[in-house]
Amino acid sequence: MKKIGEQTIVFEKNIYIESSGTVVGPKEREGPIGSSFDRAYDDLYCGEQSWELAERRLMKEAIMICLTKGKVQTHDVDLFIAGDLLNQTVTANYVASELHIPFLGVFSACSTMTEAMLVASTFIDGAFARRVLVATSSHYGAAERQFRFPTTIGVQKGESASWTVTGGAAALLSTTRSPFRIRTATIGRVIDSGVTDPLDMGRAMAPAAFATIRQHLIDCGLSIEAYDVIITGDLGKVGSSELKSLCYDAGMNLSERYDDCGVLIYDTEQQAFAGGSGCACCAVVTYSYFLEKMRERKIKTMLVVATGALFNSTMMKQNQTIPAIAHAIAIEAVT
Amino acid sequence: MKKIGEQTIVFEKNIYIESSGTVVGPKEREGPIGSSFDRAYDDLYCGEQSWELAERRLMKEAIMICLTKGKVQTHDVDLFIAGDLLNQTVTANYVASELHIPFLGVFSACSTMTEAMLVASTFIDGAFARRVLVATSSHYGAAERQFRFPTTIGVQKGESASWTVTGGAAALLSTTRSPFRIRTATIGRVIDSGVTDPLDMGRAMAPAAFATIRQHLIDCGLSIEAYDVIITGDLGKVGSSELKSLCYDAGMNLSERYDDCGVLIYDTEQQAFAGGSGCACCAVVTYSYFLEKMRERKIKTMLVVATGALFNSTMMKQNQTIPAIAHAIAIEAVT
């Protein structure tokens, strides 16, 4: 068995991130790590007629950049695994219909990025595929009107609210040697901590992130110091501080090696409330900013814990809770 | 490589359907195969306060029946893979939060059932998991108000419309010997044939079903006669007839060995238009009616082709097309 402990998979083959591509919107480009991304648009429509079509373009372009950088054509790819925030994951499916690659749709809200990577890695490790393309996307305007209110209403938000990242991100996984090797993956459990406020997703997701990080370390027999950096997807300021205190209470010193992609992507002056969120958040920051740090050898080992809050507007109207999940992928620099 | 041809996986291990569970609503129980299901409810609320909560109960109960029949407890299950029609696949996630089993959310609309089975089979075959639970669900009332109109408006439908199956279905996959062995799986490609009418999903999905069946036979080097029965998920009357004519044009004699779960589940007198649809449709019919036929040795080989149409109401308002996908699983009777 390649499964160790309760939730973790150790890959036997050397699986690498062969290449990646990231495309973002204007707010992300203006943020503190804006220069890391491969491409950025000046406005939220990205030259399309609607925000939903813009999201589709973002995912498609991220894929094209990724394939071009990897010098790979679509017919060299065995499998495409993707997901997005739009209802029925339509963005991923429209993009898949243009790619003609066998497709598996996955969904765990903003944890979709690591879920796609872990399923891709198992397919490669188990010899079911040689090269797998993964992608995620999200769009501020499309997400706001789907999950909350049309932005034109101008509903006010509190400090725990997040700002959906406008972006598309893609990566190619294979056994072709690159500076980034995927070693282990921890499959999350869904944790429902009773939060019912869709403007407080960080608090809903922090217990899921904590559970996955803790179980990953137990399964692998590692202490938290094994990683140069542990990053969460989009807990934001409120959720990050909640996670740090959960770790502190459990005797784990997370703070020294911790970053949250949602906190990193916007400046305080950008009025993004608690920080970024969305399926693209963890993906654009990891594939651009953190892989670059790894390439520069500033980081050697990294645990990426994308975090997802599962809710829809009908469930919110019925006063239901928001379950959450976090899947983790361990990446190490190859010398 | 366990991948043969372009889209098909041949499993090396003997992977079996250890047990299954199905629960349906009143209309499905009154249908021609109503006695096949493990449990049925008298009304659409299933004792809950809302249709969405009813759907959750249906999935949960199907799982409990499946585990009880298999004499398996949740801690004996390594992985739970599920999906459903509700936006953000909330049903599967709420159920997963109660099961405490590591969870992977998958989504390909009404093809989710075979996608879950194929991902589960790869995890078992690749030694990433020993025993995997898969589940899907859908609910007529919950789906109508989400995808189309509140049922109380009484919008009239044409003959190409489908009726979402109210049901939950679950299966346990492992290497524990049972009468049902999974041999191969074909991963679908997303096909967009330009259909824009959400009340004509059969026509949107037929080309995807055809492409998957055709590719499966090519990849495996089989003729269509290799299967005693080939079943599609929910093409309904219109889509089935479209699929048959696509096969006829390609020189494949599908008609003699073909059934559609959406056509089978309701009688003409039940006013279900073209037939049943939804993530539960193919699953409740396959796990109950067809596995029973296999147990009785009336069928020895079967190709299950669940079919999914990916659309949401925002895309329909923007006059976008409906992409479709079909994943196939080949099951054979074990003597």
Side-chain angles (χ1 to χ4, degrees), chain A residues 51-52 55 85-86 138-149 164:
Chain A
W51 290 327
E52 290 75 15
E55 179 173 334
L85 277 188
L86 293 190
S138 52
H139 189 291
Y140 169 73
E144 280 302 309
R145 71 169 156 197
Q146 175 179 285
F147 287 108
R148 299 174 192 97
F149 301 97
T164 304

Side-chain angles (χ1 to χ4, degrees), chain A residues 289-309:
Chain A
Y289 178 74
F290 281 109
L291 289 192
E292 194 50 40
K293 276 200 164 192
M294 203 165 243
R295 196 189 296 274
E296 295 166 353
R297 312 284 300 156
K298 287 177 187 161
I299 297 172
K300 284 181 193 156
T301 53
M302 155 165 90
L303 187 67
V304 184
V305 190
T307 40

Side-chain angles (χ1 to χ4, degrees), chain A residues 1-3 6-7 9-11 13 50-53 56 77-79 84-90 92-94 96-98 100-109 115 118-119 121-123 125-130 145-147 187-192 309-316 318 320-323 325 327, chain B residues 1-3 6-7 9-11 13 50-53 56 77-79 84-90 92-94 96-98 100-109 115 118-119 121-123 125-130 145-147 187-192 309-316 318 320-323 325 327:
Chain A
M1 282 289 284
K2 291 163 191 169
K3 185 188 152 203
E6 289 185 22
Q7 292 171 239
I9 289 166
V10 180
F11 301 110
K13 290 185 184 159
S50 75
W51 290 327
E52 290 75 15
L53 293 177
R56 207 180 298 178
V77 180
D78 291 314
L79 181 62
D84 62 276
L85 277 188
L86 293 190
N87 292 336
Q88 316 298 307
T89 61
V90 288
N93 279 276
Y94 282 117
S97 77
E98 293 182 35
H100 308 293
I101 305 169
F103 175 66
L104 292 176
V106 291
F107 186 74
S108 48
E115 180 181 351
L118 86 80
V119 175
S121 301
T122 58
F123 269 73
D125 201 55
F128 303 109
R130 281 190 187 84
R145 71 169 156 197
Q146 175 179 285
F147 287 108
I187 303 173
R189 282 189 172 106
V190 178
I191 292 180
D192 189 338
L310 283 302
F311 73 101
N312 68 34
S313 57
T314 308
M315 290 299 95
M316 292 306 96
Q318 293 181 21
Q320 295 295 305
T321 52
I322 301 175
I325 194 164
H327 300 292
Chain B
M1 280 291 282
K2 292 163 189 167
K3 186 187 153 204
E6 287 185 23
Q7 293 170 241
I9 289 166
V10 180
F11 300 110
K13 290 186 184 158
S50 74
W51 291 328
E52 290 75 16
L53 293 177
R56 208 181 297 178
V77 180
D78 291 314
L79 181 61
D84 61 276
L85 278 188
L86 293 190
N87 292 335
Q88 317 298 307
T89 62
V90 288
N93 280 276
Y94 282 117
S97 76
E98 293 183 36
H100 308 294
I101 305 169
F103 175 67
L104 292 177
V106 291
F107 186 74
S108 49
E115 181 181 352
L118 87 78
V119 175
S121 300
T122 57
F123 269 73
D125 201 56
F128 304 109
R130 282 192 186 84
R145 71 170 156 196
Q146 175 180 284
F147 288 109
I187 303 173
R189 281 189 172 106
V190 178
I191 291 180
D192 189 337
L310 283 300
F311 73 101
N312 68 33
S313 57
T314 308
M315 290 301 94
M316 293 305 97
Q318 292 182 20
Q320 295 295 304
T321 53
I322 302 175
I325 193 164
H327 299 292

